[in-house]
Amino acid sequence: MNIDSPAADGARADSPAIDLRVRITDALTLANPVSTASGTYGKGIEFQSFYDVSRLGSVVVKTITTEPREGNPPPRLAELPAGLLNSIGLANPGVDVYIAEVLPKLRTLGAALVINVAGHSVEDFGVLVAKFAQEDGIAALELNMSCPNVSSGLDYSTDPKVARQVLERVRGETDLPLIAKLSPNVTDIRPIGEAVVAGGADAISAINTLVGMAVDWRKRRPVLGRGYGGVSGPCIKAVALRLVRLLYETVDVPIFGIGGLQDADDAMEYFLAGASCIQVGTSNYYRPTVALDILEGLPERIASLGASSLQEIVGTLQMP
Ligand code: SIN
């Protein structure tokens, strides 16, 4: 899928003409860098009543697994002072029902569709990718190698050897671009980034949630039914920006920056740090138009740096 229009897709009529296109692979160029983070945007269809979702560069949908999953015991969400703690547990109908019943609706979204999958083993990742590789209308696959809320969910992006094995297993199944979604819950994210790229990843998403906990001291219990969960939202942006920068300095593939994005200024911070694209997550819950608002805010900000394309500013942060 190549989107050839040089115009800033989705830009307001009075915006400066800025080329917002992002090349992911030879076969996939996104019209613009704005995407949605898996798990925070439903199936995308729900957001159609707020704005035309086809204006986004891409949409990443909630993780799919081989078998249906009920998810974790409630409560599954806890509000934090500047974020959200979740332990959903990858609730989804399973790949076969998803392909039969959900995928046809997603094909009508208009934005490049990124399907997110999670295996419970390396082999399982291969099965999922092989199934989606047969389907039309998918722009890329994002591998959820970093869910902290299921048993062994973090194992695939905390050990470089295992991370590479996942990519090597799935790479032979498809020519679709593969995006490896990494965990921040590691001492050093750089060897993991190197491992997934060596295994065949075309791009990296960084970051998934940080493991955390909320406590109800009166009940002497954690707030979440499963005890621990993943922290997202504005409180993780500073962590994510650093990890995006470290990855940018280490690997030569496009990075989708994720974590605490609330406006176009946040997006600019990610681009300068080294992200080629951004995924908007938790803020979708309280401002459903946030992804579009970010997109519309980009041309004037990029122009203010004297650039005429997004590409010119990616990674240009001057580190001390
Ligand atoms: C969940 O479903 O528990 C969240 C997904 C994730 O963190 O990868």
Side-chain angles (χ1 to χ4, degrees):
M1 181 180 302
N2 272 300
I3 295 153
D4 290 326
S5 163
D9 183 68
R12 288 186 304 242
D14 58 351
S15 303
I18 299 292
D19 184 351
L20 291 179
R21 291 174 300 175
V22 184
R23 182 192 171 282
I24 306 296
T25 63
D26 286 346
L28 179 65
T29 296
L30 301 174
N32 67 66
V34 179
S35 186
T36 59
S38 175
T40 63
Y41 203 64
K43 305 178 193 72
I45 299 154
E46 299 87 340
F47 285 76
Q48 290 282 33
S49 57
F50 295 101
Y51 63 93
D52 177 4
V53 171
S54 74
R55 294 176 69 186
L56 302 184
S58 56
V59 166
V60 187
V61 293
K62 175 75 182 160
T63 303
I64 316 301
T65 55
T66 45
E67 302 301 324
R69 290 183 58 91
E70 287 288 322
N72 290 336
R76 294 173 170 182
L77 293 176
E79 236 179 277
L80 305 175
L84 188 67
L85 182 70
N86 92 80
S87 182
I88 307 299
L90 301 182
N92 78 98
V95 63
D96 294 330
V97 170
Y98 196 85
I99 286 175
E101 295 177 13
V102 183
L103 191 56
K105 295 179 197 146
L106 297 180
R107 290 189 179 109
T108 67
L109 279 180
L113 178 61
V114 181
I115 298 287
N116 178 301
V117 296
H120 60 74
S121 64
V122 171
E123 179 54 26
D124 214 35
F125 273 100
V127 170
L128 285 158
V129 167
K131 288 201 179 203
F132 282 110
Q134 308 298 320
E135 297 298 321
D136 293 330
I138 297 173
L141 296 172
E142 184 177 70
L143 308 171
N144 185 353
M145 303 167 65
S146 45
C147 176
N149 304 326
V150 294
S151 62
S152 60
L154 284 179
D155 294 357
Y156 306 107
S157 66
T158 47
D159 178 338
K161 266 191 254 147
V162 181
R164 185 171 176 158
Q165 277 167 14
V166 172
L167 267 299
E168 286 177 344
R169 173 64 187 86
V170 299
R171 185 67 282 178
E173 300 287 354
T174 185
D175 292 331
L176 283 172
L178 293 170
I179 308 165
K181 185 166 181 178
L182 301 189
S183 175
N185 301 295
V186 287
T187 312
D188 189 351
I189 202 166
R190 290 169 290 191
I192 313 289
E194 286 171 329
V196 293
V197 172
D202 298 294
I204 288 175
S205 290
I207 55 175
N208 205 324
T209 53
L210 286 136
V211 179
M213 177 167 68
V215 169
D216 184 339
W217 67 266
R218 290 181 178 81
K219 294 185 183 156
R220 294 182 191 246
R221 293 189 62 86
V223 175
L224 296 186
R226 195 170 183 260
Y228 303 130
V231 180
S232 63
C235 60
I236 74 164
K237 188 183 79 173
V239 175
L241 281 170
R242 172 177 171 272
L243 295 177
V244 164
R245 183 68 196 182
L246 289 177
L247 286 167
Y248 176 78
E249 290 170 352
T250 306
V251 294
D252 192 19
V253 295
I255 298 165
F256 287 73
I258 316 167
L261 282 134
Q262 298 189 90
D263 56 33
D265 293 315
D266 291 335
M268 292 297 288
E269 293 172 19
Y270 272 96
F271 297 138
L272 266 71
S276 294
C277 293
I278 49 96
Q279 294 181 6
V280 187
T282 304
S283 53
N284 285 308
Y285 291 125
Y286 52 87
R287 224 177 51 242
T289 61
V290 59
L292 182 64
D293 297 341
I294 289 176
L295 174 61
E296 293 191 331
L298 293 181
E300 64 181 278
R301 284 170 176 77
I302 293 170
S304 78
L305 294 179
S308 60
S309 70
L310 170 66
Q311 202 44 51
E312 285 169 63
I313 66 159
V314 168
T316 59
L317 187 67
Q318 290 168 15
M319 295 295 288

